[in-house]
Amino acid sequence: MRGTDVRLDHVDVTFGDFQAISDVSLEVEPGEFFSILGPSGCGKTTLLRLISGFQEPTRGRVLIGGADMAGRGPNRRPTALIFQNLALFPLMSVRENVAFGLEARGIPKRERLARADALLALVALEGQGAKKPGELSGGQRQRVAIARALAVEPAVLLLDEPLSALDLKLRQHMRAELKAIQRKTGVTFIYITHDQGEALTMSDRIAVMNRGRVEQVGRPEELYAEPATPFVATFVGEQNVLIGTVAASAPGEAAVDTPLGRLVGRTANGAPAVGSRAFVMIRPERLRLSDGAALAGVVSRRDLEGPFFVLHVESGDTRLVAHVPNSGAIPEPGARVALAVDPADMLILPEGETARA
Amino acid sequence: MREILRAFGGPLSLVIGTLVGFWLLILVAVPQVAMLDYSLWSQAANADLSAAIDRAYAEATMAEFDRRAEANPAKATELDEKLTALKRTIAELEAAQTSPPKTYGLQNYTRMSPLHAYIFVRTILSALAVAAVALVVCYPIAYAAAFAPTPRRAAILLTALLVPYAMNELLRVYAWLMIFDYRGVLNSLFAAVGLADLEARRWVPFLETQGALFTVMVSVYALFMVFPIMNTLQTLDPHQIEAARDLGASAWRIHARVVIPHAKPGIAVGVITVFMLAAGSFAVPQILSRGTGGDWFSQLVYRQFFEANNWNLGSAYAFSLLVVSLAIVFAMMRAFGVSLREITK
């Protein structure tokens, strides 16, 4: 199996007067683990159906391996789709499920069952072929769906939030397993999720979507450290958002008057105009307890997450969330604390839509 | 039973129990048992009996004349005794004539004439064919209704299916009669394009064919096929169809491997219902064929009851039809590989 590249070229999809996808252009490299991350209703499933062929673009082109896919149905594309609910065939045995794509291609029974068994071995399900999908556990069913999709030797495997039905432990285990299968097979994976943790841990690159548009494409650490828009900044990871007015601006640096005083931080792209509204973004793990009078407030809540405490600090109407390492003295609720942050850890972005607006 | 009591309380459980008991006993068991009983006996009408009665009456009249003329008291007493004995004999004979003794046995089941047996077999086979034709016609309709792209379209389709059924079955059959009649709608259309000539009585005798009967039966019973199939199809996850398509399956293979196996209980219910309705159909063949298209077995049963006035033979015919139909139903369930539990689901 070998993955190929997928290219979306200025694609629009409209349903009636609802624009599901607006001018999306994407390039997915061959053999890449590419995630599409966004809240529900952002158009990511439509994007997946576009690539798999269940949906034709209203405008623009979908290219797989350089070939234009216009007018080619899902059964004639080099893609395989893993559905959110897996859509295994409940009346067929696990083996027949895996062999179904080969059956559709007219491969003789003996050969296709042998290949199904080999694929079941790849996903660590040897000897389970005779069972019905209903007799397997959630994680095993998951692996059957992967084997069934891989059986048709797709160049691109499309996954529509396939882990969302699993419990947390199994989900974490399956993340590693998916990644391993992707490496072993070299197939291009396009993975849809609304769970940023899933996207960050598995992906080579991520596209963040909102309201039918791609907000930003980048490697996980890029998205986390250098979000291009307030939406990306707040959707990927947690964020403290302070709103204010730009007081001074220089390339790569700006000062913003916020309810907690004037804060100086770095800017993402260019210099914002003085007097314009801007967000100051601070990651909770970048805030630390200090003795200075940087950002002062009262602890209103304290939750133990295990390795760290989540401190909710209130100052006037502003609430800050800080992740404080679980070591030493942790302030009790009601205590007055001061929080410090480096200017390099404060990102200034022009005002815009945030994920938790 | 205890669960019903716990869920509904005493009085309501009593009502439920009574109604179920009433249904099972009065509406199901009693008529069937009565029919079975009727089918198992016969009364031979004895022609000799009326002659014997006549003879006894004549003898009694003679004896009465003799008695009146007799003066000898000893002889008179003898004649009186003879008269009493004769009257007793007459009463016994008359009782035997008005309610002849029942003879129990299987005689009603072994008396079917070859012609009736032929009609019986043909009715069963025709009913099976009607069910098969209805399945072929109704499966696409049920599929279209179950997977209508918008709820509006599904509602329109269902209304279109239901509206004809708001009409009485007899009216629908008469409507078909008007369509298929010698001077009916179809033949008039044929005449309009020159394929028939109504004046010269050159027309297509639709009503004399089994095809017309099939068409009308399928149309009259179609809904009983569409609804069960549609109900099971509505429980099929559309993603399964998409998954099969995504894996490269043709439309034919998707139906053969994914949709039809899922719809099997519904198909079984539809086929069994239409088969039973068609096998027992009376109004459709009676109105439509008017003796020109060959009898349906239910017409024979009707005639045994109301024309030959032989309820015993009629019961035996009806019971035979029931038993054979049930045997075929169970054979079909085995062929479909569905259990009673799956069907009643």
Side-chain angles (χ1 to χ4, degrees):
Chain A
M1 284 180 243
R2 174 113 305 144
T4 61
D5 64 299
V6 175
R7 201 150 70 82
L8 299 184
D9 189 13
H10 297 288
V11 170
D12 278 351
V13 175
T14 47
F15 300 113
D17 43 359
F18 172 67
Q19 182 124 21
I21 301 286
S22 309
D23 193 31
V24 166
S25 293
L26 277 179
E27 276 184 56
V28 181
E29 306 287 329
E32 188 175 29
F33 198 121
F34 191 89
S35 289
I36 297 169
L37 174 66
S40 56
C42 73
K44 55 190 193 298
T45 296
T46 307
L47 208 62
L48 202 70
R49 295 177 71 81
L50 247 146
I51 300 169
S52 57
F54 287 106
Q55 176 72 49
E56 285 287 327
T58 314
R59 204 174 60 86
R61 293 189 306 159
V62 177
L63 299 111
I64 300 176
D68 194 337
M69 289 290 128
R72 272 219 237 173
N75 47 351
R76 295 175 50 230
R77 294 193 183 193
T79 58
L81 177 55
I82 294 180
F83 290 83
Q84 183 160 15
N85 65 355
L86 306 182
L88 296 176
F89 307 126
L91 301 174
M92 294 182 204
S93 71
V94 164
R95 249 162 136 215
E96 282 179 300
N97 260 283
V98 176
F100 185 81
L102 303 173
E103 181 190 325
R105 281 161 179 71
I107 288 168
K109 186 166 187 172
R110 185 188 294 267
E111 188 187 338
R112 64 176 189 250
L113 289 181
R115 271 161 75 179
D117 284 339
L119 276 161
L120 284 173
L122 176 79
V123 295
L125 280 176
E126 295 104 325
Q128 310 274 7
K131 290 187 182 169
K132 291 277 166 68
E135 298 170 68
L136 301 182
S137 70
Q140 288 174 321
R141 277 204 294 275
Q142 187 73 59
R143 294 201 287 257
V144 174
I146 294 166
R148 185 178 72 173
L150 289 175
V152 300
E153 304 197 351
V156 181
L157 191 66
L158 306 161
L159 304 98
D160 187 2
E161 306 208 32
L163 304 186
S164 55
L166 304 181
D167 60 52
L168 182 66
K169 271 271 184 291
L170 200 53
R171 201 153 65 216
Q172 283 172 343
H173 175 73
M174 283 305 295
R175 283 180 193 174
E177 206 149 316
L178 271 180
K179 187 77 193 151
I181 289 171
Q182 195 259 337
R183 284 229 189 80
K184 224 185 293 180
T185 58
V187 172
T188 310
F189 274 41
I190 298 181
Y191 190 95
I192 295 278
T193 181
H194 68 275
D195 180 334
Q196 40 113 356
E198 235 167 71
L200 291 176
T201 47
M202 287 192 288
S203 319
D204 295 322
R205 282 193 309 151
I206 302 171
V208 181
M209 278 191 79
N210 186 33
R211 296 177 191 274
R213 291 178 187 282
V214 171
E215 295 256 339
Q216 189 177 359
V217 181
R219 286 180 289 112
E221 56 273 25
E222 260 169 30
L223 290 180
Y224 193 78
E226 308 291 342
T229 66
F231 181 83
V232 176
T234 48
F235 193 76
V236 180
E238 282 185 70
Q239 199 74 267
N240 290 298
V241 183
L242 299 169
I243 188 160
T245 313
V246 178
S249 175
E253 198 183 58
V256 179
D257 285 326
T258 72
L260 296 181
R262 177 166 295 188
L263 297 174
V264 177
R266 66 196 171 87
T267 59
N269 28 23
V274 174
S276 65
R277 305 275 287 168
F279 288 133
V280 179
M281 305 280 185
I282 308 167
R283 294 283 182 200
E285 70 273 17
R286 301 296 179 190
L287 283 169
R288 57 181 192 275
L289 293 169
S290 85
D291 299 328
L295 302 166
V298 177
V299 176
S300 65
R301 219 173 95 196
R302 192 183 81 166
D303 302 329
L304 176 62
E305 271 283 336
F308 59 88
F309 274 92
V310 179
L311 285 187
H312 295 255
V313 177
E314 277 177 15
S315 166
D317 292 337
T318 312
R319 166 179 281 211
L320 292 173
V321 176
H323 294 174
V324 180
N326 187 2
S327 62
I330 306 298
E332 298 280 346
R336 284 200 68 83
V337 291
L339 296 167
V341 58
D342 291 334
D345 292 330
M346 286 189 279
L347 181 69
I348 292 162
L349 291 169
E351 190 183 17
E353 189 191 351
T354 62
R356 280 174 287 264
Chain B
M1 204 61 214
R2 190 165 295 168
E3 272 161 44
I4 292 176
L5 198 65
R6 195 159 359 143
F8 298 108
L12 203 54
S13 299
L14 192 69
V15 171
I16 294 172
T18 313
L19 286 177
V20 170
F22 179 80
W23 168 263
L24 286 178
L25 193 71
I26 307 297
L27 298 181
V28 179
V30 170
Q32 294 299 329
V33 170
M35 194 175 70
L36 185 60
D37 175 60
Y38 258 92
S39 74
L40 285 176
W41 54 265
S42 60
Q43 291 170 314
N46 196 345
D48 297 343
L49 215 53
S50 33
I53 293 171
D54 287 349
R55 218 178 304 124
Y57 267 112
E59 216 174 315
T61 317
M62 293 293 283
E64 214 150 323
F65 276 124
D66 289 350
R67 168 71 184 81
R68 254 183 248 154
E70 189 59 64
N72 186 345
K75 282 252 174 131
T77 324
E78 194 181 316
L79 277 172
D80 276 341
E81 276 166 17
K82 190 185 175 188
L83 256 176
T84 330
L86 271 172
K87 278 183 182 153
R88 203 181 309 126
T89 316
I90 289 171
E92 274 168 18
L93 284 172
E94 278 181 337
Q97 193 189 34
T98 44
S99 57
K102 298 175 179 178
T103 338
Y104 274 90
L106 291 171
Q107 61 271 31
N108 293 321
Y109 287 95
T110 51
R111 288 177 48 186
M112 201 186 273
S113 69
L115 175 64
H116 286 188
Y118 167 72
I119 293 176
F120 182 79
V121 171
R122 201 184 63 172
T123 300
I124 295 281
L125 293 180
S126 301
L128 282 172
V130 167
V133 172
L135 173 61
V136 171
V137 172
C138 296
Y139 175 79
I141 298 172
Y143 185 83
F147 292 106
T150 60
R152 219 179 100 85
R153 189 116 32 115
I156 291 172
L157 250 168
L158 279 186
T159 314
L161 278 174
L162 275 170
V163 160
Y165 286 80
M167 244 191 326
N168 186 293
E169 182 183 318
L170 287 179
L171 291 183
R172 268 178 286 144
V173 177
Y174 275 113
W176 278 108
L177 183 65
M178 285 181 227
I179 294 171
F180 283 135
D181 216 342
Y182 297 125
R183 295 172 196 276
V185 177
L186 267 180
N187 272 320
S188 303
L189 280 177
F190 282 7
V193 297
L195 287 170
D197 186 352
L198 300 188
E199 296 309 310
R201 304 172 70 86
R202 229 169 23 80
W203 48 51
V204 186
F206 290 110
L207 292 178
E208 292 165 29
T209 63
Q210 289 273 305
L213 198 59
F214 272 32
T215 311
V216 178
M217 282 211 182
V218 168
S219 110
V220 169
Y221 303 130
L223 218 56
F224 298 96
M225 184 69 83
V226 171
F227 270 119
I229 298 180
M230 194 183 77
N231 282 343
T232 48
L233 283 180
Q234 275 170 339
T235 63
L236 176 64
D237 174 15
H239 282 153
Q240 299 225 340
I241 297 172
E242 290 193 337
R245 208 165 139 230
D246 187 59
L247 291 167
S250 60
W252 183 87
R253 189 178 299 276
I254 292 172
H255 281 279
R257 295 282 279 139
V258 179
V259 184
I260 291 175
H262 180 87
K264 221 165 55 175
I267 292 175
V269 171
V271 168
I272 286 168
T273 313
V274 170
F275 166 73
M276 289 300 270
L277 286 170
S281 178
F282 177 72
V284 177
Q286 179 76 10
I287 294 170
L288 211 62
S289 72
R290 292 175 300 183
T292 54
D295 271 328
W296 212 249
F297 193 70
S298 49
Q299 290 170 283
L300 290 188
V301 174
Y302 176 88
R303 270 184 234 138
Q304 289 303 330
F305 272 93
F306 299 107
E307 285 172 25
N309 218 349
N310 189 344
W311 285 36
N312 305 95
L313 192 58
S315 297
Y317 276 19
F319 201 73
S320 307
L321 184 63
L322 177 71
V323 168
V324 172
S325 298
L326 280 181
I328 289 177
V329 165
F330 283 115
M332 279 197 276
M333 279 166 58
R334 177 160 286 199
F336 278 113
V338 292
S339 63
L340 213 52
R341 189 175 305 178
E342 268 179 288
I343 284 180
T344 49
K345 209 158 46 179

